Amino acid sequence: MPLRRRLVIVGADAFGKEVWHWSNDVPSNSKNWDSVVFINDEIKNAQIELYNANISCLIVSTIDDYVPQCNDVCICSIVNPKRKLDIVEQLEGKGVKFTNIIHPTAIIGNGCRLGTGIILCPYTVLTVNVSVDNHVIIDKTSSIGHDAKIGEGVTIGSHCDITGYCEIQRGSLIGEGTSTLPKSIVEENSVVCAGSVVLKKVRANRVVMGNPAYYVDRIVN
């Protein structure tokens, strides 16, 4: 009988609680785990948050102290792309194996290419020939148009419309309700604030907001 695995959700914050919920919706024949735990810094406060949300999962360790078991697979629920990628790198150094959480209501069209560590929340849509790199989060009801490219560690908030041929580069954060016009580019480590409309290009390491999106400030890492 094959060895069953434990799903380890990295981060027991608000979005981590949602990821726990979506993981329960994954059909049993698509799961490679049969139990769920969390790892999180600030264990005591996070455990109270889980208790208040009627989530009975344990927080088994801090992120720094986590020692992967041979039957563990992980998913990182950290929304901030820079912190997410830093934590992923730390965990990969420990030999952690990552999995995907793909909600059964997500639509994935022909020719789409998915990496690992991806979270597709309810009612997300990848149309056709979409490329999604490792450790990408796409939140509820967001859609990615044909031939778009989503880089490593990107987080896309809910109700976003990423249209055809767009490119969202590594480490960028796309806020809720954002729209990007066809063939537009958001370069690496940028932030597009909620409700913005990107007409053509956002330069690397910048923050934009508004309709049309305009530069606000440089990101301070």
Side-chain angles (χ1 to χ4, degrees):
M1 183 175 179
L3 181 65
R4 297 294 289 169
R5 293 179 173 179
R6 181 176 69 164
L7 175 65
V8 180
I9 300 176
V10 184
D13 57 5
F15 187 66
K17 292 185 289 187
E18 292 186 359
V19 172
W20 170 84
H21 190 76
W22 310 145
S23 73
N24 291 331
D25 291 342
V26 175
S28 58
N29 61 356
S30 298
K31 291 181 178 179
N32 54 356
W33 66 88
D34 59 0
S35 63
V36 183
V37 297
F38 287 87
I39 59 175
N40 193 84
D41 299 329
E42 303 292 336
I43 290 178
K44 183 177 180 180
N45 290 338
Q47 196 71 68
I48 292 172
E49 287 290 324
L50 295 182
Y51 176 82
N52 290 337
N54 294 315
I55 297 174
S56 59
C57 293
L58 293 176
I59 301 175
V60 295
S61 78
T62 65
I63 296 171
D64 286 343
D65 294 337
Y66 170 61
V67 178
Q69 299 180 9
C70 64
N71 60 336
D72 284 355
V73 289
C74 289
I75 190 75
C76 187
S77 69
I78 305 299
V79 171
N80 180 284
K82 183 180 186 304
R83 176 159 168 73
K84 174 170 51 177
L85 288 171
D86 286 346
I87 289 173
V88 164
E89 182 179 8
Q90 175 185 351
L91 293 175
E92 286 177 339
K94 297 182 179 184
V96 162
K97 298 176 182 178
F98 288 92
T99 190
N100 293 336
I101 303 293
I102 298 177
H103 196 270
T105 60
I107 296 174
I108 302 173
N110 288 341
C112 291
R113 299 170 298 282
L114 275 63
T116 58
I118 292 169
I119 301 171
L120 297 184
C121 296
Y123 303 104
T124 51
V125 177
L126 310 182
T127 58
V128 293
N129 296 330
V130 174
S131 175
V132 180
D133 209 336
N134 300 334
H135 308 293
V136 168
I137 294 171
I138 303 177
D139 207 351
K140 302 173 292 296
T141 72
S142 288
S143 62
I144 314 297
H146 62 86
D147 302 287
K149 297 178 180 179
I150 312 299
E152 184 183 23
V154 165
T155 294
I156 297 174
S158 58
H159 309 288
C160 290
D161 183 17
I162 310 300
T163 55
Y165 294 111
C166 285
E167 183 176 354
I168 313 297
Q169 294 183 358
R170 185 182 191 273
S172 291
L173 174 64
I174 309 298
E176 286 80 359
T178 288
S179 296
T180 61
L181 267 62
K183 299 184 180 180
S184 58
I185 298 174
V186 177
E187 293 184 340
E188 63 182 19
N189 303 320
S190 293
V191 174
V192 180
C193 296
S196 298
V197 178
V198 176
L199 301 184
K200 188 174 182 180
K201 183 176 182 178
V202 176
R203 296 195 298 273
N205 303 301
R206 299 298 297 270
V207 179
V208 299
M209 67 179 299
N211 179 10
Y214 59 91
Y215 291 104
V216 180
D217 202 355
R218 292 187 180 276
I219 300 174
V220 179
N221 292 325

